[in-house]
Amino acid sequence: MNFELLKSQQTEFIKSGKLLSIDYRIELLNQLKSNIKSLESEILKALHDDFGKSEFEAYSSEIGFIYQDINETIKHIGKWSKPVRMGTALSLFPSSAKIYSQPYGRVFIIAPWNYPFQLLIAPLIAAISGGNTALLKPSELTPKVSAILNKLISQTFPNEIVALVEGDGIEIVPRAINDYRPNLIFFTGSTAVGRSIAKQAAEHLIPCILELGGKSPCIIDQSADLKVAVKRIAFGKCINADQTCVAPDYFIVHESIKEAFIKEYKETVDGFYSGNAIESSDFTQIVNDRHFERVEKLFNQTKVLMGGRTDKDKRKIEPTLVEGKLDHPIMQEEIFGPVSPVFTFKNEAEIFDLIEKNNNPLSLYLFTQNSVLEKNIVDRISFGGGCINNTLMHLVDPKLPFGGIGNSGQGAYHGKAGFDAFTHKKSVVKTATWFDLKQKYPPYNIKSMKIIKWFLS
Ligand code: NAD
């Protein structure tokens, strides 16, 4: 793709002012929704072909999620985009002020492979709602989904509004940053690649929103309702075979309930997948051989507490629990596979110490009925977002901003937060001319000093 040409086409389109119209943005979003609907079965098939996603998981977490996001955006965009009238300080009299939501212009959206449809289209919805043009770069690791995304985007938008480029990130992204020169980059992916892209962007002062990964802890206190807790934890861990950025990565279980937790976890996953996750069509494959081998190697030399079977041909690893070991490689990187180390704790301080080793997790989950523990964890640990007595649900509701902090990212989106992420907040003060205090201007004297002190004290 000729990124310089794309830059000039999109810049010309922005200048036309069409995207300043909220009705036009709504028209684009409606067109996007209707084209997704007509390609729905092809999208589901691509998600299955790339990594065996079941229709239920593919529909709910990729396509249905997007319909909900478009509906929510169309419903509220009028309100979100209205300039916000602000009261002004007395020292500005006689003035009024408004905050305008100004589109950034050209935005570059880079997506990972694990929810390859949703994680490209959800930021696009926010970008359009904010009145931007976009360049999209899906992951090369899910080529069938990448191809169908290409078809969807070229059917829905001319290049001057939204274009898509397929291929290897390491080759395409630096070229696009240099030649397309986006006004904003929205990146979802690993912390290492996010850091490298942010460095390249800094060279041109391009702001970045980074949606990264990390190791999300899941704490199970002895007061938790174990049956409900394990069902919700196993669901969060097993959906998409744990290839989910917000999946519970490792478990911190009160020592008094460790055995009961393992037994309940086994019964629960056996119930989910009829005792054989490897053969179950409801259980997703690992995306490719490299990741299969990486996850398999990660739980080498650990003590398996439950599960542990793998099938290389099917690229499946059954839900597995292993003994937690802090200095083992499994605690040095995000697991991204259905294996979890189990640590135990006796007191609150041990929970804090463990989480500190992988700080700023993207998500944190706590299962407890103890409100003091809940308050301490929520108040004192820095994490992107999370749930009490549930998993994953904080990212489902478009009313809740979703994003990381520190190692797990910067900036947030979904619903109004998405609109805000893709617009610059431009404050404008308007001052009437019928009154203009002369003491504001030089030459200054004692009277001007008195007046300024009165206004500003
Ligand atoms: P990745 O960082 O390898 O790739 C993400 C994107 O960056 C892809 O489009 C890829 O082509 C591109 N890319 C890869 N290497 C690049 C390079 N050197 N220079 C420029 N671009 C490059 O991530 P992934 O393996 O596709 O996805 C998994 C990661 O994404 C996990 O860490 C996961 O936690 C994270 N993730 C985060 C969220 C979130 O919302 N916070 C959501 C999903 C996934």
Side-chain angles (χ1 to χ4, degrees):
M1 178 175 281
N2 181 337
F3 291 124
E4 278 180 348
L5 176 65
L6 184 70
K7 177 186 172 193
S8 67
Q9 288 171 331
Q10 292 200 351
T11 306
E12 280 311 302
F13 190 76
I14 290 166
K15 281 187 193 157
S16 77
K18 265 190 112 170
L19 280 164
L20 294 175
S21 153
I22 301 304
D23 286 344
Y24 186 61
R25 296 181 202 174
I26 292 174
E27 195 182 311
L28 293 175
L29 291 170
N30 273 325
Q31 189 60 49
L32 176 63
K33 183 174 170 191
S34 129
N35 287 6
I36 295 172
K37 273 209 184 299
S38 48
L39 289 175
E40 206 174 275
S41 57
E42 286 181 61
I43 299 165
L44 289 170
K45 182 169 181 325
L47 286 162
H48 186 267
D49 290 351
D50 274 335
F51 57 140
K53 266 200 200 204
S54 70
E55 190 174 330
F56 181 88
E57 283 190 11
Y59 185 86
S60 56
S61 65
E62 304 252 21
I63 298 177
F65 187 97
I66 290 298
Y67 292 152
Q68 177 181 272
D69 206 10
I70 294 180
N71 294 344
E72 175 82 5
T73 303
I74 289 176
K75 189 167 162 200
H76 298 293
I77 184 176
K79 195 168 72 204
W80 297 341
S81 58
K82 272 214 175 80
V84 181
R85 188 179 285 278
M86 303 297 289
T88 51
L90 187 59
S91 53
L92 300 185
F93 181 80
S95 301
S96 60
K98 283 184 185 165
I99 302 171
Y100 292 83
S101 292
Q102 176 187 285
Y104 272 93
R106 302 177 306 277
V107 301
F108 185 21
I109 298 172
I110 306 160
W113 55 264
N114 61 328
Y115 289 85
F117 186 78
Q118 190 238 109
L119 291 172
L120 193 77
I121 301 297
L124 175 64
I125 295 165
I128 293 174
S129 78
N132 302 280
T133 63
L135 169 63
L136 310 180
K137 167 38 203 111
S139 171
E140 64 276 25
L141 296 194
T142 38
K144 298 276 178 9
V145 178
S146 179
I148 192 74
L149 279 163
N150 201 352
K151 182 170 170 185
L152 169 71
I153 296 303
S154 56
Q155 273 182 4
T156 313
F157 305 103
N159 271 358
E160 59 189 2
I161 304 179
V162 184
L164 183 146
V165 58
E166 289 189 85
D168 208 339
I170 197 161
E171 189 270 315
I172 288 168
V173 171
R175 216 159 45 78
I177 292 177
N178 211 46
D179 297 347
Y180 172 69
R181 199 58 68 86
N183 304 110
L184 174 75
I185 296 177
F186 186 101
F187 170 80
T188 308
S190 62
T191 302
V193 174
R195 184 177 289 122
S196 146
I197 289 176
K199 270 190 196 160
Q200 295 168 52
E203 195 61 34
H204 309 288
L205 293 180
I206 300 169
C208 287
I209 293 167
L210 303 174
E211 302 288 339
L212 310 176
K215 290 184 81 65
S216 300
C218 178
I219 306 151
I220 305 102
D221 176 44
Q222 70 270 39
S223 67
D225 178 332
L226 198 61
K227 220 174 178 51
V228 178
V230 169
K231 204 164 239 166
R232 293 177 184 174
I233 293 167
F235 168 76
K237 184 74 192 170
C238 295
I239 186 169
N240 211 27
D242 191 46
Q243 299 165 111
T244 303
C245 56
V246 287
D249 184 283
Y250 60 101
F251 300 144
I252 310 174
V253 185
H254 192 270
E255 62 171 10
S256 64
I257 57 165
K258 181 184 174 193
E259 294 313 318
F261 172 77
I262 296 167
K263 183 168 173 283
E264 190 66 38
Y265 197 85
K266 178 168 174 20
E267 281 171 17
T268 304
V269 294
D270 280 351
F272 282 180
Y273 305 114
S274 312
N276 194 343
I278 287 180
E279 295 301 330
S280 170
S281 59
D282 287 338
F283 192 61
T284 307
Q285 292 171 292
I286 303 295
V287 70
N288 60 24
D289 290 342
R290 180 169 66 82
H291 277 287
F292 177 88
E293 281 155 23
R294 181 188 60 79
V295 179
E296 204 180 31
K297 220 163 114 198
L298 262 191
F299 70 97
N300 268 348
Q301 293 168 352
T302 56
K303 183 177 166 203
V304 172
L305 302 171
M306 185 225 104
R309 279 191 319 132
T310 64
D311 186 318
K312 194 171 166 43
D313 295 333
K314 294 194 168 70
R315 293 203 316 269
K316 281 193 169 178
I317 296 172
E318 71 176 348
T320 296
L321 296 179
V322 303
E323 194 76 69
K325 249 169 88 179
L326 252 187
D327 53 356
H328 189 276
I330 203 163
M331 285 305 287
Q332 319 306 319
E333 63 176 88
E334 189 179 5
I335 299 168
F336 239 54
V339 182
S340 273
V342 180
F343 293 87
T344 55
F345 73 96
K346 287 194 281 295
N347 54 53
E348 211 176 284
E350 290 174 324
I351 301 176
F352 284 84
D353 283 350
L354 251 173
I355 295 174
E356 185 65 23
K357 304 272 189 300
N358 285 285
N359 68 352
N360 307 136
L362 180 59
S363 302
L364 180 146
Y365 304 111
L366 170 66
F367 288 82
T368 189
Q369 305 298 332
N370 177 341
S371 53
V372 176
L373 178 68
E374 176 184 330
K375 180 165 171 32
N376 286 345
I377 299 271
V378 172
D379 286 355
R380 294 183 195 185
I381 298 181
S382 157
F383 57 95
C387 306
I388 310 297
N389 296 323
N390 216 332
T391 62
L392 314 192
M393 295 304 137
H394 60 298
L395 71 75
V396 172
D397 192 326
K399 286 183 222 43
L400 301 177
F402 171 70
I405 175 168
N407 293 322
S408 56
Q410 57 194 40
Y413 73 129
H414 289 179
K416 164 93 164 53
F419 175 84
D420 288 340
F422 281 92
T423 47
H424 165 68
K425 301 303 165 197
K426 184 163 73 178
S427 299
V428 176
V429 171
K430 183 173 176 181
T431 307
T433 53
W434 57 265
F435 175 72
D436 200 24
L437 191 67
K438 86 173 191 288
Q439 281 80 8
K440 281 191 303 190
Y441 304 102
Y444 304 123
N445 54 31
I446 293 177
K447 191 166 178 205
S448 7
M449 197 62 204
K450 269 193 184 149
I451 290 173
I452 199 74
K453 279 191 170 170
W454 183 78
F455 268 125
L456 296 182
S457 63

